[in-house]
Each structure stands twice: as C-alpha cells, then as structure tokens.
C-alpha cells in the first residue's frame, strides 16, 4: 500500500496584538494560537475592562469641571479642541452632559460632533471609552448616532486626543434645547426624550469667581457643590480646621454638610437657605477659598476639636464613583 502523505495544516497568518479583534470568550482566539480567546489575547482585554482608573480625567484641562459635568450638572456643553486638525467635514466637537436617547455620541447633519459624558461605560477607564467614542463619531456618517462598545485595550485616551493647552469652559443650560438646532423638525422620539430630560433637570449655575463650584436648587433647599483638586487627606484636614473654628460656612444660614468622592477628587457640599441664589454665594465662596488656602498651608497637628470635626466630615462622605 502506498504510504499516506503526512497531513500538514496551513499556517494561519500571524496577527499583531493591535490587529486582534474581540470575539466571544469561549471562541478560538483569532491570533491562531489554538487557545480560547479568554485564555489568550482576551486576558489583557478582560483586565482592561475591570481595572478601575481612579482619576480618569487627570491631566486634562479643567479636570474638576470634567468631574462636575460627569456627576453633578444636568445640562451643559463644552467646545473641545483636538491635538490634530479636525477631519474635513467636521466643523466642531462638543462635549455634552447628556444626549437624546442616551446616545454616546451623535454626528449631526451638518457634520458637527456631540459627545455624551454621563453615559455608562463598559470598562474601568472612562477616558479610554470616551476617546474611542470620539474617534468613531469623527468617522460616522452625518445624521447618525454612535452606539456604545467596549474600547480596545490599547486604544488612545482623551489625554492623547485633546489639546492639553486648550481651555475648558463649560456652558450650563437651563434645559436640553441644545440637542436640536431646529426643534420644530425633531423626530417624535427626540422630542419626547427632550421633554423628559427638561422635566428632570435641576436648576444649576456655575459660579464665576471660583473654579468648578456649582449652585443648584432643589425643592427643600439649595446647595453648593464644589469640586476641588487638592489631595483628599489634606483637604479634609483643612476643612476640619475651618469647621472647628466656625469658619466653614458661606454666610448666614449656610452649613458645610459633608462631601462626595468622585473620580479621585473630593466635592464638599454646603446646604443653603432656599432664598440664597447663585449670585448670593459668589463673594462668600471667594472669601472661603482664601480661608481654605490658609488652612491647607497649616502644618500643625489637628487639635481634639479639629479631629472630631474631621471625623464628622469623613462619616458623611459619599462615594459617587
């Protein structure tokens, strides 16, 4: 009998890590290794999905305002400047707190791009997810929304795409009419989404005299929520010094009630009487900023009263992210 020729398998083309597509966890890895995706290139992708970046907006101009717009402000927009020139046919890129139908991004009919900030993101790095959405929006057909997806583990972050020297100036809106340049011709779905969003929006104003401080009105009382860049432990010590000295308020009837922790930054919160508006706290906030700077510079150990004040502030701290 003639000998059977040994059967050889054709070699699969070898792919680089950047070319490996995402497939099901139990499917063969596209790299040709013969192993399942989850045991091969999927390991790095899974790690990227679960690894939480504590300060996703660190290094961006206006980090504190990024946090505020992500967690605290209902309706706001910011014009973004990219490191590279905008592609042909894209006149502008605008960051928005929320987009209609909770779209991650939208390429308008005129070619301009809107990016939504408050959407759920599939990985632990909001910056990478938003950068992926931005890149896809720049290439989308005019008049189409961009759907969410898991960003490639090796993809760029916002810090790689945005101009680090540009300004970051949020514009706070009373409602979401900025969604549609021509509301009369909006689709019924977008109109309904706009009405729901406007009904739920809390009146909010960004203070002019200090950075990243936002006044808001609620049915029972008003609040000032101020995102601060200082290291958390140093800031809590400084707030405790002022609180123990009776100097942590923003005027008569106001009270420092605690703080949020959001995306690696601390957000002190004050209760304000319902009759106190945003303009009323401009001067007190500027004066508080001076007191806080002095308290941050102090290096003496906390007194017993200051330690008690710090414990109270810590116990009332809530983590948003």
């Amino acid at each position: 009998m003639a000998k059977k020729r040994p059967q050889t398998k054709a070699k699969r083309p070898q792919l680089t890590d950047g070319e490996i597509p995402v497939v099901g966890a139990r499917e063969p890895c596209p790299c040709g290794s013969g192993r399942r995706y989850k045991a091969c290139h999927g390991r790095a992708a899974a790690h990227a999905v679960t690894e939480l970046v504590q300060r996703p907006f660190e290094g961006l101009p206006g980090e504190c305002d990024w946090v505020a717009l992500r967690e605290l402000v209902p309706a706001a927009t910011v014009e973004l400047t990219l490191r590279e020139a905008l592609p042909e046919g894209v006149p502008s890129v605008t960051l928005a707190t929320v987009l209609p139908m909770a779209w991650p991004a939208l390429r308008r009919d005129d070619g301009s791009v809107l990016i939504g900030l408050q959407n759920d993101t599939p990985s632990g790095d909001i910056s990478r997810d938003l950068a992926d959405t931005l890149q896809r929006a720049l290439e989308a057909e005019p008049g189409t929304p961009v759907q969410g997806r898991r960003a490639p583990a090796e993809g760029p972050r916002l810090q790689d795409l945005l101009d680090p020297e540009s300004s970051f100036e949020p514009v706070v809106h009373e409602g979401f009419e900025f969604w549609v340049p021509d509301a009369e011709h909006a689709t019924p779905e977008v109109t309904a989404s706009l009405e729901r969003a406007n009904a739920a929006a809390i009146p909010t104003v960004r203070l002019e005299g200090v950075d990243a401080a936002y006044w808001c009105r609620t049915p029972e009382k008003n609040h000032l929520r101020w995102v601060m860049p200082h290291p958390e432990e140093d800031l809590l010590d400084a707030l405790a010094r002022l609180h123990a000295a009776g100097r942590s308020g923003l005027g008569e009837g106001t009270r420092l009630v605690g703080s949020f922790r959001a995306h690696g930054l601390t957000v002190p919160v004050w209760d304000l009487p319902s009759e106190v508006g945003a303009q009323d706290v401009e001067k007190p906030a500027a004066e508080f900023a001076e007191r806080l700077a002095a308290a941050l510079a102090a290096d003496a150990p906390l007194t017993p009263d200051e330690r008690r004040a710090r414990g109270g502030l810590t116990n009332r701290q809530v983590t948003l992210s």
Side-chain angles (χ1 to χ4, degrees), residues 157-238:
R157 307 177 73 237
L158 287 174
Q159 288 81 348
D160 302 316
L161 301 182
L162 301 183
D163 182 359
E165 302 300 324
S166 62
S167 61
F168 190 84
E169 299 293 339
V171 177
V172 179
H173 304 274
E174 294 183 359
F176 295 87
E177 282 72 20
F178 64 85
W179 283 353
V180 282
D182 186 2
E184 293 183 359
H185 296 89
T187 65
E189 293 82 2
V190 171
T191 299
S193 183
L194 176 62
E195 292 175 352
R196 289 193 300 269
N198 282 343
I202 296 174
T204 302
V205 177
R206 182 176 185 259
L207 298 194
E208 298 178 358
V210 295
D211 292 333
Y214 291 81
W215 170 96
C216 68
R217 174 182 289 123
T218 62
E220 295 183 357
K221 62 185 69 175
N222 299 339
H223 304 281
L224 184 73
R225 300 177 290 188
W226 192 341
V227 187
M228 296 187 172
H230 316 293
E232 180 178 356
E233 297 302 315
D234 295 345
L235 177 57
L236 289 176
D237 281 352

Side-chain angles (χ1 to χ4, degrees), residues 4-318:
K4 294 182 178 180
R5 292 182 179 179
Q7 295 183 352
T8 58
K9 294 183 179 180
K11 291 185 178 180
R12 298 183 181 183
Q14 297 300 307
L15 304 178
T16 64
D17 287 353
E19 297 173 327
I20 305 299
V22 176
V23 299
R26 300 178 66 84
E27 295 180 38
C29 187
C31 75
S33 66
R35 292 181 292 174
R36 290 177 177 176
Y37 178 69
K38 69 176 183 179
C40 191
H41 281 83
R43 286 179 173 175
H47 180 70
V49 168
T50 57
E51 185 178 16
L52 178 64
V53 176
Q54 297 291 338
R55 288 181 63 178
F57 308 117
E58 185 177 14
L60 290 173
E63 179 189 8
C64 293
D65 281 305
W66 277 92
V67 172
L69 268 56
R70 168 75 183 184
E71 299 294 340
L72 307 175
V73 182
T77 56
V78 184
E79 295 298 316
L80 298 181
T81 303
L82 276 58
R83 287 179 181 265
E84 306 294 336
L86 290 173
E88 184 178 357
V90 180
S92 63
V93 175
T94 302
L95 180 74
T97 48
V98 181
L99 293 180
M101 317 297 290
W103 289 325
L106 171 65
R107 180 89 185 273
R108 282 177 163 166
D109 292 334
D110 65 357
S112 61
V113 167
L114 290 176
I115 304 294
L117 180 58
Q118 294 183 8
N119 296 78
D120 292 334
T121 53
S123 83
D125 187 353
I126 297 171
S127 179
R128 194 179 307 280
D129 290 327
L130 289 172
D132 178 67
T133 300
L134 171 57
Q135 286 187 314
R136 291 186 292 124
L138 293 172
E139 299 174 353
E141 291 294 325
T144 60
V146 174
Q147 303 301 327
R149 74 169 189 181
R150 188 174 71 191
E154 300 82 10
R157 307 177 73 237
L158 287 174
Q159 288 81 348
D160 302 316
L161 301 182
L162 301 183
D163 182 359
E165 302 300 324
S166 62
S167 61
F168 190 84
E169 299 293 339
V171 177
V172 179
H173 304 274
E174 294 183 359
F176 295 87
E177 282 72 20
F178 64 85
W179 283 353
V180 282
D182 186 2
E184 293 183 359
H185 296 89
T187 65
E189 293 82 2
V190 171
T191 299
S193 183
L194 176 62
E195 292 175 352
R196 289 193 300 269
N198 282 343
I202 296 174
T204 302
V205 177
R206 182 176 185 259
L207 298 194
E208 298 178 358
V210 295
D211 292 333
Y214 291 81
W215 170 96
C216 68
R217 174 182 289 123
T218 62
E220 295 183 357
K221 62 185 69 175
N222 299 339
H223 304 281
L224 184 73
R225 300 177 290 188
W226 192 341
V227 187
M228 296 187 172
H230 316 293
E232 180 178 356
E233 297 302 315
D234 295 345
L235 177 57
L236 289 176
D237 281 352
L239 292 174
R241 295 180 193 277
L242 296 175
H243 202 59
R247 305 182 69 207
S248 63
L250 299 174
E252 185 177 356
T254 69
R255 186 166 66 99
L256 175 64
V257 293
S259 63
F260 297 121
R261 182 189 293 114
H263 306 293
L265 299 182
T266 304
V267 188
V269 179
W270 285 262
D271 279 352
L272 311 173
S274 57
E275 66 273 13
V276 173
Q279 288 297 322
D280 299 323
V281 291
E282 285 281 6
K283 183 178 178 180
E287 293 171 346
F288 177 84
E290 295 179 0
R291 298 198 299 272
L292 179 64
L296 285 165
D299 56 4
L302 295 181
T303 67
D305 286 345
E306 291 168 347
R307 288 198 298 271
R308 281 191 290 271
R310 193 187 195 283
L313 292 171
T314 304
N315 291 337
R316 295 192 296 273
Q317 192 172 51
V318 177

